[in-house]
């Protein structure tokens, strides 16, 4: 059976956490619920899949493998009791690579106030700097979570209410060395489409937003980007000149010190998808036939970030019928 790239989904992004109780509480405060928990006591780790699941959620009620925009929290037993344990959040030299996850909200001023009232710290508040339409909150491990608006910021200035059940896990950002190589990989190999480009020439960087599904809207209200209502996008950040430096390398989060782990796509036919990847000479971290876990594979992108490949169980069951 052939594989249909149009049926792929950007399922989740994985980060390692020190204390799962604190992390789960934080992401629940952002409106997420625990979609699935996988316990692996023999291997001494647990996985918590967090996402939006209410009636207004983009993937509400779906099987966890038939969703986009999940966050996988990986907890290795004992880290919560280790005073010296600390993850690399991807935003500090010399370990920059992963940048942030991002939620889009209804009324951004009220949403940020609600987060602040709960005692969580900000890397950047709405009122900091020149960009008054975005904020960055810090999770318990100091990972950055961007907050963007789905409604025009000038229209929500005096609004005091916010509904977390309407939020979206909009995107995950990683820094890339060579945008042409990265775009070729995510577009031609993984089947994503470019939804939006944001050039910031004066600041020396460009942002590329990729994903599955329909094109982005052509309209962009004040303070609202045209992909703000989407779930499960990938933002590639290119800082000009890195592609010309033979020695330049980003930290993939899996080399020490660890933090970010991988992004993951769910495919219609796991065997067929991996056969296609093999025919395209991808770099493998783990083939389906490697090790004991025969239901997942990992390919490497041009910057050695890991991309997990899993079966969309909904599509598999339909095919088996």
């Amino acid at each position: 059976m052939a594989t249909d790239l149009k049926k792929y989904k950007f399922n989740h992004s994985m980060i390692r956490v020190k204390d799962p109780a604190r992390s789960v509480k934080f992401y629940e405060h952002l409106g997420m619920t625990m979609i699935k928990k996988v316990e692996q006591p023999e291997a001494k780790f647990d996985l918590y899949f967090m996402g939006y699941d209410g009636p207004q959620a983009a993937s509400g009620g779906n099987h966890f493998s038939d969703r986009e925009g999940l966050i996988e929290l990986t907890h290795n037993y004992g880290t919560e009791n280790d005073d010296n344990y600390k993850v690399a959040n991807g935003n500090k030299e010399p370990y920059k690579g992963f940048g942030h996850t991002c939620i889009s909200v209804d009324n951004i001023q009220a949403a940020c106030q609600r987060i602040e009232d709960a005692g969580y710290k900000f890397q950047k508040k709405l009122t900091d700097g020149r960009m008054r339409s975005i904020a960055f909150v810090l999770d318990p491990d100091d990972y950055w979570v961007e907050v963007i608006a789905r409604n025009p910021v000038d229209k929500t200035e005096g609004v005091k209410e916010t509904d977390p059940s309407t939020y979206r896990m909009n995107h995950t950002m990683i820094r890339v060395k060579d945008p042409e190589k990265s775009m070729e990989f995510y577009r031609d190999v993984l089947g994503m489409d470019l939804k939006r480009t944001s050039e910031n020439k004066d600041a020396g960087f460009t942002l590329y937003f990729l994903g599955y599904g329909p094109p982005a809207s052509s309209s962009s209200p004040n303070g609202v980007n045209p992909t703000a209502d989407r779930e499960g996008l990938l933002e590639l950040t290119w800082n000009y000149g890195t592609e010309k430096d033979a020695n330049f390398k980003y930290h993939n989060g899996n080399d020490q010190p660890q933090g970010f782990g991988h992004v993951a796509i769910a495919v219609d036919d796991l065997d067929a998808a991996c056969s296609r990847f093999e025919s395209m000479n991808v770099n493998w971290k783990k083939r389906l036939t490697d090790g004991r876990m025969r239901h997942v594979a990992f390919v490497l992108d041009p910057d050695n970030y890991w991309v997990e490949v899993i079966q969309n169980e909904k599509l598999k069951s339909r095919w088996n019928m």
Side-chain angles (χ1 to χ4, degrees), residues 24 29 51 62 67 80 92 94 117 122 128 131 143-144 156 173 185 189 214 223 232 281 293 307:
V24 167
H29 188 73
N62 289 13
R67 293 172 178 262
E80 72 278 16
K92 298 177 181 178
D117 289 346
F122 282 76
D128 295 338
M131 300 177 69
Y143 290 115
W144 297 12
T156 59
M173 186 276 264
F185 174 81
V189 178
N281 297 316
M293 298 175 65
V307 180

Side-chain angles (χ1 to χ4, degrees), residues 37-216:
K37 181 180 179 182
V38 178
E39 298 182 347
Q40 300 282 352
E42 72 285 351
K44 298 184 179 180
F45 70 85
D46 293 336
L47 311 176
Y48 304 77
F49 290 86
M50 309 297 296
Y52 292 101
D53 199 38
Q56 300 185 68
S59 302
N62 289 13
H63 187 275
F64 98 96
S65 67
D66 189 41
R67 293 172 178 262
E68 294 197 292
L70 297 179
I71 297 180
E72 175 188 353
L73 308 178
T74 293
H75 170 235
N76 293 293
Y77 295 178
T79 56
E80 72 278 16
N81 299 317
D82 183 350
D83 293 338
N84 296 317
Y85 181 83
K86 188 175 182 181
V87 303
N89 71 1
N91 289 303
K92 298 177 181 178
E93 296 290 4
Y95 305 114
K96 282 190 174 181
F98 166 73
H100 60 260
T101 54
C102 172
I103 62 171
S104 61
V105 302
D106 52 358
N107 307 314
I108 193 167
Q109 295 90 347
C112 288
Q113 188 61 55
R114 176 178 174 274
I115 294 170
E116 186 173 359
D117 289 346
Y120 293 113
K121 297 180 180 179
F122 282 76
Q123 177 67 25
K124 178 200 175 298
K125 294 185 178 181
L126 280 177
T127 53
D128 295 338
R130 293 179 298 173
M131 300 177 69
R132 299 301 177 93
S133 59
I134 64 170
F136 285 88
V137 63
L138 296 173
D139 90 344
D141 289 286
D142 284 343
Y143 290 115
W144 297 12
V145 179
E146 185 179 11
V147 185
I148 63 173
R150 285 207 314 279
N151 294 312
V153 293
D154 55 343
K155 303 294 185 183
T156 59
E157 184 66 46
V159 179
K160 302 300 182 183
E161 301 298 323
T162 182
D163 183 358
S165 71
T166 66
Y167 295 1
R168 297 274 192 271
M169 214 306 277
N170 182 254
H171 70 258
T172 296
M173 186 276 264
I174 56 175
R175 299 173 179 90
V176 299
K177 174 177 179 173
D178 187 326
E180 291 187 6
K181 291 181 179 179
S182 295
M183 288 286 290
E184 181 180 2
F185 174 81
Y186 286 100
R187 183 189 61 227
D188 299 344
V189 178
L190 298 189
M192 294 184 180
D193 298 317
L194 179 63
K195 307 300 183 185
R196 182 170 78 93
T197 301
S198 176
E199 292 187 357
N200 298 271
K201 293 182 178 179
D202 291 342
F205 68 89
T206 294
L207 313 176
Y208 304 88
F209 293 84
L210 299 98
Y212 300 107

